[in-house]
Amino acid sequence: MAQPDQKKFFENLSGAGKAIAVLTSGGDAQGMNAAVRAVVRVGIYVGAKVYFIHEGYQGLVDGGENIEEAKWESVSSMLQVGGTVIGSARCKEFRTHEGRRAAALNLVLRGITNLCVIGGDGSLTGANLFREEWSGLLDELVQQGKIDKESAEKYSHLNIVGMVGSIDNDFCGTDMTIGTDSALHRIIEVVDAIVTTAQSHQRTFVLEVMGRHCGYLALVSALACGADWMFIPEMPPADGWEDQMCTKLSENRARKKRLNIIIVSEGAIDTSNKPITSEHIKDLVVKCLGFDTRVTILGHVQRGGTPSAFDRILASRMGVEAVLALLEASADTPACVVSLCGNQAVRLPLMECVQMTQEVQKAMDERKFEEAVRLRGRSFENNLNTYKLLAHRKPQSELPISSFNVAVLNVGAPAAGMNAAVRSAVRVGITEGHKIFAVNDGFEGFAKGQIKEIKWGDVGGWTGQGGSLLGTKRTLPAKHLEKIAEQMKANQINALLVIGGFEAYLGLVELLAARGKYDEFCVPIVMVPATVSNNVPGSDFSIGADTALNAITDTCDRIKQSASGTKRRVFIIETMGGYCGYLASVGGLAAGADAAYIFEEPFDIRDLQANVEHLTAKMKTSIQRGLVLRNENSNENYTTDFIYQLYSEEGKGVFDCRKNVLGHMQQGGAPSPFDRNFGTKIAAKAMLWISRKLKETYRKDEGRVFANTDDTACLLGMRRRALVFQPVVELKNETDFVHRIPKEQWWLKLRPLMKILAKYKTSLDVSESGQLEHVVRHRRPIESEGVPA
């Protein structure tokens, strides 16, 4: 990593004289187009020539019109399109030496020595082999008289950068591949739709999802919808699973549950390596239980549709990083893959990732399934461990004996995913042996005594529900401290789990300050961030923000589409977020906005004028529509109406304007797969922390829990690559309490990307890029604090 005094800026890198080609290969995945768009625009921005290679490696071998120079406008309107616009094809010729020689000739004739490949492990392995053979291929072309020696010397080495586009998320070294999140969106949309019809008829549904060799989609969708049973290739069920599954399904029905959902990965197998098919499971359920059972095979629906906000941002960030890697590459640089680790874009040696991916398959072939799960990486392993914790209720006799009572409450505005977090916390708490109490209507309800025990079955079906089923209020505890303390004493509450936004954080600060006066608050307290605004200090992400981003992105797509007939129209869109510009900025990046006005980046009339002029120039090209986002509190004088009127006046004769205030639709709706999964995992981790702290702070001689140290009141947040417990006291210095935002916010670094992709000259600090890392092997499941999740 560059030293602070050796800062590296994107605008100082030059692509002059360089040519970059981009191709998509193998199976298509939503978000590939966003990656292509980013590579093209960033390449052109730095002065390089950029080429599309149509139809993947087939186009590379065939040459001719398949290799076409890209212009800035060529990638307009690609962001929201699924699949790959430049085409993808399986290519047998490229697997032959002659085919690769023809491909090398096509690149050299155009002076292309930088190749960006978006595909799966097969496509990337092919690219690496091509690179290794490059100098030999050029020698052969010289001998055949197809190129001269000068060309061979001038283009003597080929740089390769890969981006993984695969809905299966089966590539080691990256937490998420391009397309996985969108595929989960398709699956969850189907599950949510099926749940309503299954409940009506008391049916069992067997859902088959993609994943021939990798069970990621099945695993995460089972977590996200609270499936009754799941089959994945990495975890064949133990012998006798048929009886176990039927017992579980009938127990659930006996508890008044009107439906059962079973999710099967297409590559699911049993311990003797025989396939477990969806039809086999259906026949089994019908034969053993006589339940009305239906099979739904999702198939290629999972590959289709528009990319999610997450995939657009992921692909855009990776595209920028890929061009950076190509600009900095030398003859000695190994081919690398741009990937995501936690919240960081990183570069990893391509072949290390490919070898590890192949090792997973080898471990599975050798029936070393635990090893295969470990090799899949920490994200997969944590998902699996969380699923095991939540899916199957242990008999009472197997539960640890605990005399502790834990209260769970929601505080602040509702956020999609809160219910998934509550469900997870309740079930993990019960598994840990505690009694769990649910508090209705936040601290206000607590003071009024709206508190009662909540059981395992009470939270069934909660993951897919939007809003807050417990009820939530913005009321802070300061005015009700005495009554809350009374309720905690009356119900013998030994720990608190608070799920909410900035009010929840302020509430923890107030409870902490009251510990000196009330012993009742001297218990372990942990907060899980949940707010669409994503403005809680100590966490890069909050539950609910991803759902809000998808609502903004979907609406922007529709609004932009409405202009396709009228042309020359600019839309001004107001987003939520209080003083936090996260939704406006990241939503702007995902929707392809021209500008996003936020409080954190002050702007004046000159900036507004420059934006109008920029849009006027854009309207003279073939792209004849604009999108401008404004955070609701970005400026008290430059209101949405003011900006709308200014743009309308200044754009007269060139473009007309429309405005749209998105309002509370950003808070509503069913939670996205990311929010369901994030809420489930983070709340489970919080409850395990509570268990640990209860044991540490229990005073046997007094027969009570007493916790008054700073580290017993924490916020659990996502920091860069890890989920970390941070004492609330330490976060005070990081908080701007007046504007209810953290003093430093990671996503501000993404703003220049949005500007570059909209053709603005700007400064982008890339000091953290450029370090080639290595694939880390996890040898054991990790449960310590500050561990990546």
Side-chain angles (χ1 to χ4, degrees), residues 21 51 53 57-67 99-112 130 134 138 141 147:
Y51 291 85
I53 297 174
Y57 285 123
Q58 191 67 55
L60 193 57
V61 173
D62 295 345
E65 290 179 358
N66 288 308
I67 304 177
R100 291 192 290 276
R101 188 167 59 220
L105 176 63
N106 288 326
L107 290 182
V108 171
L109 291 176
R110 292 165 180 81
I112 300 168
F130 189 38
W134 182 258
L138 295 200
L141 290 169
I147 61 170

Side-chain angles (χ1 to χ4, degrees), residues 365-383:
D365 292 341
E366 292 171 0
R367 326 209 52 64
K368 296 176 183 169
F369 295 107
E370 283 186 13
E371 177 70 7
V373 167
R374 269 201 297 277
L375 288 167
R376 279 261 180 252
R378 60 161 203 270
S379 174
F380 189 93
E381 200 171 4
N382 285 344
N383 280 319

Side-chain angles (χ1 to χ4, degrees), residues 12 31 73 142-143 151 269 280 284 349 362 401 451 476 528 533-534 570 577 606 623 676 698 724 737 745 767 789:
N12 298 337
E73 289 81 21
V142 171
Q143 284 164 15
S151 295
I269 49 170
H280 171 57
L284 187 74
K362 187 168 171 254
I401 297 165
I451 176 169
L476 293 173
V528 167
S533 305
N534 197 25
V570 174
R606 287 177 292 279
I623 314 170
R676 296 181 195 200
Y698 182 68
V724 193
F737 285 98
Q745 303 185 85
S767 308

Side-chain angles (χ1 to χ4, degrees), residues 15-30:
K18 293 190 177 180
I20 299 170
V22 58
L23 66 89
T24 53
S25 174
D28 65 311
Q30 309 95 317

Side-chain angles (χ1 to χ4, degrees), residues 295-451:
V295 172
T296 300
I297 297 172
L298 266 64
H300 282 74
V301 164
Q302 295 158 87
R303 283 194 193 279
T306 60
S308 65
F310 182 94
D311 272 331
R312 297 183 198 195
I313 295 153
L314 172 67
S316 300
R317 286 177 73 182
M318 283 186 173
V320 174
E321 187 71 29
V323 174
L324 267 174
L326 288 171
L327 292 179
E328 293 174 349
S330 66
D332 309 321
T333 317
C336 76
V337 172
V338 179
S339 84
L340 184 77
C341 186
N343 189 22
Q344 295 285 105
V346 295
R347 298 179 201 171
L348 299 165
L350 188 149
M351 286 319 290
E352 275 188 29
C353 298
V354 168
Q355 280 157 7
M356 193 135 151
T357 304
Q358 289 166 350
E359 276 182 42
V360 176
Q361 193 53 50
K362 187 168 171 254
M364 283 166 65
D365 292 341
E366 292 171 0
R367 326 209 52 64
K368 296 176 183 169
F369 295 107
E370 283 186 13
E371 177 70 7
V373 167
R374 269 201 297 277
L375 288 167
R376 279 261 180 252
R378 60 161 203 270
S379 174
F380 189 93
E381 200 171 4
N382 285 344
N383 280 319
L384 189 55
N385 289 338
T386 309
Y387 176 78
K388 286 176 183 172
L389 262 180
L390 296 172
H392 306 301
R393 184 180 183 178
K394 288 181 183 171
Q396 200 68 33
S397 56
E398 286 179 32
L399 295 178
I401 297 165
S402 147
S403 55
F404 298 125
N405 296 343
V406 181
V408 180
L409 64 157
N410 293 157
V411 176
M418 273 182 164
N419 299 321
V422 172
R423 168 187 175 268
S424 171
V426 167
R427 292 197 168 176
V428 173
I430 290 169
T431 305
E432 289 286 296
H434 311 315
K435 261 191 185 176
I436 308 296
F437 287 79
V439 178
N440 295 114
D441 299 339
F443 288 119
E444 192 178 309
F446 211 162
K448 290 176 181 170
Q450 293 171 292
I451 176 169

